Amino acid sequence: DVKVTQSSRYLVKRTGEKVFLECVQDMDHENMFWYRQDPGLGLRLIYFSYDVKMKEKGDIPEGYSVSREKKERFSLILESASTNQTSMYLCASSLGLREQFFGPGTRLTVL
Amino acid sequence: QKEVEQDPGPLSVPEGAIVSLNCTYSNSAFQYFMWNRQYSRKGPELLMYTYSSGNKEDGRFTAQVDKSSKYISLFIRDSQPSDSATYLCAMSSAGGTSYGKLTFGQGTILTVHP
């Protein structure tokens, strides 16, 4: 079974803090994705990566950056957290064009 | 206008009802169509996967794609309380630089009551 794990289920941070969200997958998938999920807006793609050290902007990259130094690990970074980044963050991985496997999500609250 | 539109509901039906969930889209390059189910406090998981137009059946679930109308549907027969979840449609174009990038609908919240 593919397993995608995320570093925290719940996180509370203060405005201006630097926030790291980490995602690890154990199936040697090439592609990894970071989404945020908000009521009424569905899942929106922040960034994705199709190989180590490669990254592509998604639909809403502003205020975020990513890092993929190893194939199994994809990190999302909020350089200076703001209250409008309070959301559910979901990581996913996939092999080619096949199904994406999601982690359980991190609910981030920025105060 | 969003690339993928999905009525967020909420939708409440009695156990045993037939449920119809729908999405419309505007990008004619989409060729892969998926339905994901998301239970409360969990990540989405793939329910049905269809390539191009046509129907696909899996147990109580049927997925339909009409590319000419840019319209996809998911039907649930004999709905059960365990089907209560958020259903998200998702779609992707083939190859190129998409790398499996999906565009999601907003999700429809479904409750099946006993």
Side-chain angles (χ1 to χ4, degrees), chain A residues 54-105:
Chain A
M54 305 304 287
K55 61 185 179 185
E56 290 281 339
K57 291 180 180 179
D59 300 316
I60 51 163
E62 298 78 19
Y64 304 94
S65 62
V66 291
S67 171
R68 192 161 180 207
E69 296 297 317
K70 293 185 177 181
K71 193 173 186 180
E72 68 270 18
R73 197 176 297 267
F74 192 34
S75 300
L76 179 70
I77 302 148
L78 287 67
E79 294 290 342
S80 177
S82 63
T83 54
N84 63 13
Q85 292 179 310
T86 291
S87 186
M88 169 70 86
Y89 289 88
L90 288 159
C91 174
S93 72
S94 76
L95 188 65
L97 297 174
R98 297 178 188 173
E99 93 177 87
Q100 289 187 13
F101 293 87
F102 284 85

Side-chain angles (χ1 to χ4, degrees), chain A residues 12-74:
Chain A
V12 179
K13 295 291 181 181
R14 299 239 173 243
T15 301
E17 278 192 81
K18 191 168 186 175
V19 181
F20 292 88
L21 302 180
E22 195 164 75
C23 175
V24 178
Q25 51 95 2
D26 66 358
M27 281 301 289
D28 203 35
H29 282 173
E30 302 154 349
N31 306 323
M32 297 188 75
F33 307 82
W34 274 108
Y35 297 90
R36 62 178 283 177
Q37 185 175 29
D38 301 288
L41 297 176
L43 272 74
R44 292 180 292 167
L45 182 64
I46 304 171
Y47 267 97
F48 67 102
S49 169
Y50 52 90
D51 202 352
V52 175
K53 297 192 187 295
M54 305 304 287
K55 61 185 179 185
E56 290 281 339
K57 291 180 180 179
D59 300 316
I60 51 163
E62 298 78 19
Y64 304 94
S65 62
V66 291
S67 171
R68 192 161 180 207
E69 296 297 317
K70 293 185 177 181
K71 193 173 186 180
E72 68 270 18
R73 197 176 297 267
F74 192 34

Side-chain angles (χ1 to χ4, degrees), chain B residues 96-109:
Chain B
T97 57
S98 68
Y99 300 105
K101 175 177 170 287
L102 292 174
T103 302
F104 283 84
Q106 298 96 307
T108 300
I109 300 169

